[in-house]
């Protein structure tokens, strides 16, 4: 039981396993693991896929022939270990050129370079078989709003994404783009701080059908929000193209903890939603091991992410099969009869209806009981 299998679609970023525990106050504590060894490690722990930024694999200053050899060797490692590359992305945050942002930077050369770098990352992703391309605008933000007209960055971002959609069409790559929000870190404030902000932005693009979101649990938590609600809204809008699973306590630094390790109850509802909804995309873990860990601890971390997901998935099945829980749930979610669609006559009759407010308000809703049963189920005594 709780054994990860390919059909679970568990993936990890190269950068997650490669994380060396460096933070703003302390240096690396773990050795560099070369990408091909990460592929072997992922196979060992039972993962299905690996995702990457361009520079997780190919150094930013590699020559074309160096690049080609690295990519060939990586493809061979993926084949050997039966690991797929479902998603690719581009690093638009590490190099100093991006200190003022990438697509939203004031300097037109920086913006053009960001496009060039992204197109090359798309070439790389397509070569590796990825069908999803994530864009996380980690440097698109400000410390001081003295820097530009506040509406300008949204125009620049739109222009960049429209451009990349055209490149996608031109090259027939068939990518879907998934935009990832974060409220702050590394910038003081990042534009597009929440998944909701992106859901409002996407319909303003030239190719909205090509673009969705990549909600990250921890990023919604950093903003003090309910990640499930963001994910569910994205799903309902047909925009849940990818998801970054991890965990995070609100009001802290960017923790990227092992999945479900900080807010297990919320993560139960999230896993239940992903499973019940029929979401078919990857279950990607964007997290990393504590700084206290060695390589064995990194494997514990990776195994723990998948195992916790599968445990919560089993709990969700139990919840769905629990007679008492289902009884309460159906009582509090009565079937509605008739349509609530607008019609002139329907509106007239609604206007003339009388409602017994006090009687309706008096009904207890049993949420306390339902929540307690859920907690007991999660605690394993049910
Ligand atoms: C970085 C960030 C993540 C993003 C990655 C994709 S990189 O680790 O913290 O949330 O998903 O660019
Ligand atoms: Mn992420
Ligand atoms: Mn994060
Ligand atoms: Mn992170």
């Amino acid at each position: 039981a709780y054994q990860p299998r390919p059909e679970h679609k568990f993936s990890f970023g190269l950068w997650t396993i490669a994380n060396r525990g460096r933070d703003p106050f302390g240096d690396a504590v773990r050795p560099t693991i070369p990408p091909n060894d990460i592929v072997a490690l992922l196979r060992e722990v039972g993962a299905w896929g690996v995702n990457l930024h361009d520079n997780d694999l190919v150094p930013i200053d590699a020559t074309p022939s160096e690049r080609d050899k690295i990519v060939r060797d990586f493809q061979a490692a993926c084949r050997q270990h039966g690991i797929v590359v479902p998603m690719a992305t581009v690093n638009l945050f590490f190099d100093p050129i991006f200190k003022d942002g990438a697509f939203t930077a004031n300097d037109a050369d920086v913006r053009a370079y960001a496009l060039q770098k992204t197109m090359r990352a798309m070439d790389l992703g397509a070569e590796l078989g990825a069908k999803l391309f994530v864009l996380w605008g980690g440097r698109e933000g400000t410390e001081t709003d003295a820097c530009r007209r506040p509406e300008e960055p949204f125009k620049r971002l739109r222009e960049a994404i429209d451009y990349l959609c055209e490149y996608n069409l031109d090259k027939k790559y068939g990518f879907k783009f998934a935009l990832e929000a974060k409220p702050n870190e590394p910038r003081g404030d990042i534009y597009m701080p929440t998944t909701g902000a992106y859901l409002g932005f996407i319909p303003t693009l030239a190719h909205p059908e090509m673009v969705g979101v990549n909600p990250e649990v921890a990023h919604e938590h950093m903003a003090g929000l309910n990640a499930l609600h963001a994910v569910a809204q994205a799903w309902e809008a047909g925009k849940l193209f990818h998801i970054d699973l991890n965990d995070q306590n609100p009001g802290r630094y960017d923790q990227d903890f092992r999945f479900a390790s900080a807010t297990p109850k919320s993560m139960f509802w999230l896993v239940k939603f992903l499973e019940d909804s029929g979401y078919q995309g990857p279950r990607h873990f964007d997290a990393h091991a504590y700084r206290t860990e060695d390589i064995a601890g990194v494997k514990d971390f990776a195994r723990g992410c998948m195992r916790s997901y599968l445990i919560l998935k089993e709990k969700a099945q139990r919840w769905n099969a629990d007679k008492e829980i289902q009884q309460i749930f159906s009582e509090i979610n009565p079937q509605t009869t008739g349509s609530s669609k607008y019609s002139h006559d329907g509106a007239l009759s609604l206007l003339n209806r009388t409602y017994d407010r006090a009687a309706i308000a008096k009904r207890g809703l049993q949420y306390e009981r339902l929540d307690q049963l859920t907690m007991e189920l999660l605690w394993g005594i049910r």
Side-chain angles (χ1 to χ4, degrees), residues 15 53 89 93 134 136 180 182 216 219 244 254 256 286:
W15 69 93
H53 300 90
T89 180
F93 44 88
V134 162
W136 171 64
E180 179 178 343
K182 188 176 184 182
E216 174 169 318
H219 296 176
D244 278 3
D254 176 16
D256 288 338
D286 184 10

Side-chain angles (χ1 to χ4, degrees), residues 15-16 19 52-53 56 87-93 134-138 180-182 185-186 214 216 218-219 242 244 246 254 256 284 286-288:
W15 69 93
T16 68
N19 183 288
L52 55 126
H53 300 90
D56 297 341
M87 176 272 262
T89 180
V90 59
N91 187 323
L92 298 177
F93 44 88
V134 162
L135 288 169
W136 171 64
E180 179 178 343
K182 188 176 184 182
E185 244 193 287
N214 177 38
E216 174 169 318
H219 296 176
H242 196 260
D244 278 3
N246 53 11
D254 176 16
D256 288 338
H284 172 237
D286 184 10
H288 52 78

